[in-house]
Amino acid sequence: MNELILELTEISPREFFGQGNENINLLKKYFPKLKIVARGNKIKVYGDEALLEEFDKRFDMLTSHFAKYNKLDENAIERVLTSNGDDDLKSSEKSGETLVHGVSGRLIKAQTANQRRLVDAAKKNDMVFAIGPAGTGKTYTGVALAVKALKEKQVKRIILTRPAVEAGENLGFLPGDLKEKLDPYMQPLYDALRDMIAPEKLAHFIENGTIQIAPMAFMRGRTLDNAFVILDEAQNTTHAQMKMFLTRMGKNAKFLITGDPGQIDLPRRVISGLKEAILVLQNTEGIAIIYLDDKDVIRHKLVKKVIEAYKNIEHQN
């Protein structure tokens, strides 16, 4: 039986192995044909030579991830072990840097390969489409990029918008004025902002118009310049809405359009403006389209299982 000995030199074995060796146990799950023993700062692995080579490569990727982010959790391990190799994890050095120093000292940065690609794309292009399922960090990463641009005075304002199509609900039945009706629907955008900007400052920014959160109908007739503009849930735009929005782009503006083509709430036979825009603009210079997938899900591990279960059903239909 072949043996591979790996040693952790500049990394804390306790933090790398996880509480109760939970990270090592996860490695054993992904490499069931290998015998893996962790003691002190060393890992001894026994098994077939080809498997040992693959383990060595993945282990190196895991230590690189830990050195970069100073943590290793189940999500990160799964992304590394199920990736197609180094290409899946490649991105510019700067794309993995902290985007925003959030509330309570929280460091907000792109956590996955595709999120880092999104960061890179936003630096190089004025219009970016971020496409992917729930929980992949499309909106959160986008809001972080917008807050970063505002703090660094690259833009003068942030505009966050969504098409007012609700998943099985009707705004007309909600109590209150228009703002009170819309606030719950815009809640994910508020949640992201609250992680990144102190409450008093955020309230001030919203009050003086530095940060604007509004439904798409409020975009009509406006020219959006000197702004970082995010269109969220774009799969629920119609052809006319998407065309209207994209042509609002003014000078010194950054546009980020996020959406999940698998969660369209539009009436039947109404074409999604997002799907159409991706087809029409996919080869346009200055516009980037970044696809995120299940490996980018950083919510509870059950979210991945839910996405996979529904994907299997949808493929059967």
Side-chain angles (χ1 to χ4, degrees):
M1 186 177 284
N2 298 293
E3 180 186 50
L4 173 68
I5 300 176
L6 299 165
E7 188 173 353
L8 297 173
T9 52
E10 298 178 6
I11 293 176
S12 161
R14 185 173 58 83
E15 291 181 24
F16 186 85
F17 294 164
Q19 188 173 3
N21 274 2
E22 59 184 359
N23 293 341
I24 297 299
N25 292 333
L26 199 54
L27 285 174
K28 290 178 181 178
K29 175 185 168 185
Y30 280 95
F31 290 93
K33 293 182 179 179
L34 294 177
K35 182 181 179 183
I36 303 170
V37 180
R39 285 201 181 94
N41 68 334
K42 291 182 180 179
I43 292 181
K44 292 184 179 181
V45 191
Y46 306 90
D48 179 75
E49 187 174 352
L51 277 175
L52 289 179
E53 285 181 11
E54 179 65 18
F55 183 90
D56 191 20
K57 176 185 172 184
R58 300 290 171 172
F59 189 82
D60 186 52
M61 291 161 71
L62 287 170
T63 54
S64 296
H65 178 95
F66 187 91
K68 193 171 188 178
Y69 298 102
N70 203 32
K71 70 173 184 177
L72 193 65
D73 57 23
E74 185 176 344
N75 283 313
I77 293 170
E78 185 173 350
R79 285 195 299 273
V80 169
L81 296 183
T82 59
S83 71
N84 293 326
D86 292 335
D87 286 343
D88 267 8
L89 300 170
K90 279 180 182 173
S91 55
S92 74
E93 282 298 312
K94 289 193 173 181
S95 67
E97 292 177 354
T98 299
L99 296 173
V100 178
H101 291 269
V103 177
S104 302
R106 184 175 183 177
L107 301 181
I108 295 166
K109 59 178 75 176
Q111 297 186 48
T112 72
N114 288 325
Q115 287 177 13
R116 293 193 290 275
R117 288 191 182 112
L118 177 55
V119 172
D120 281 340
K123 288 177 182 175
K124 298 171 185 173
N125 302 273
D126 288 337
M127 184 179 292
V128 180
F129 288 80
I131 313 299
T136 52
K138 307 179 299 292
T139 302
Y140 198 83
T141 304
V143 172
L145 285 166
V147 171
K148 181 178 190 291
L150 182 66
K151 286 186 173 182
E152 294 178 355
K153 295 184 167 50
Q154 296 170 12
V155 297
K156 293 181 179 177
R157 55 191 173 146
I158 295 172
I159 298 172
L160 309 174
T161 185
R162 281 179 151 197
V165 178
E166 322 77 44
E169 295 183 12
N170 191 317
L171 289 176
F173 290 101
L174 294 172
D177 59 21
L178 181 61
K179 184 180 184 301
E180 289 170 328
K181 288 181 179 184
L182 285 168
D183 276 356
Y185 186 63
M186 301 295 190
Q187 197 61 49
L189 302 174
Y190 284 111
D191 288 344
L193 286 168
R194 288 190 185 107
D195 277 356
M196 303 174 200
I197 303 174
E200 305 80 13
K201 197 164 190 177
L202 178 57
H204 175 68
F205 279 156
I206 292 174
E207 189 177 333
N208 69 14
T210 300
I211 294 178
Q212 301 170 30
I213 304 175
M216 270 202 76
F218 285 42
M219 300 297 111
R220 193 172 298 279
R222 300 180 65 182
T223 299
L224 307 174
D225 51 15
N226 296 308
F228 198 116
V229 187
I230 298 176
L231 168 56
D232 195 33
E233 300 288 343
Q235 74 273 6
N236 290 326
T237 58
T238 62
H239 161 87
Q241 286 176 323
M242 180 60 82
K243 183 181 177 183
M244 177 274 291
F245 174 78
L246 295 179
T247 54
R248 299 304 94 200
M249 194 172 197
K251 294 178 181 178
N252 190 40
K254 286 274 192 183
F255 270 36
L256 177 65
I257 300 97
T258 75
D260 175 9
Q263 287 191 335
I264 296 172
D265 298 320
L266 292 167
R268 284 186 178 183
R269 298 189 183 87
V270 176
I271 296 171
S272 166
L274 177 64
K275 282 188 171 182
E276 185 182 53
I278 294 169
L279 288 172
V280 172
L281 302 172
Q282 60 183 336
N283 297 317
T284 305
E285 189 176 347
I287 297 176
I289 302 174
I290 304 297
Y291 290 92
L292 298 96
D293 55 34
D294 301 359
K295 294 190 189 78
D296 300 294
V297 174
I298 51 176
R299 293 180 182 172
H300 194 284
K301 60 185 177 182
L302 285 179
V303 174
K304 295 178 187 176
K305 294 180 181 178
V306 170
I307 291 171
E308 192 59 39
Y310 274 92
K311 190 187 289 182
N312 292 335
I313 292 172
E314 288 157 6
H315 285 169
Q316 291 169 12
N317 293 337

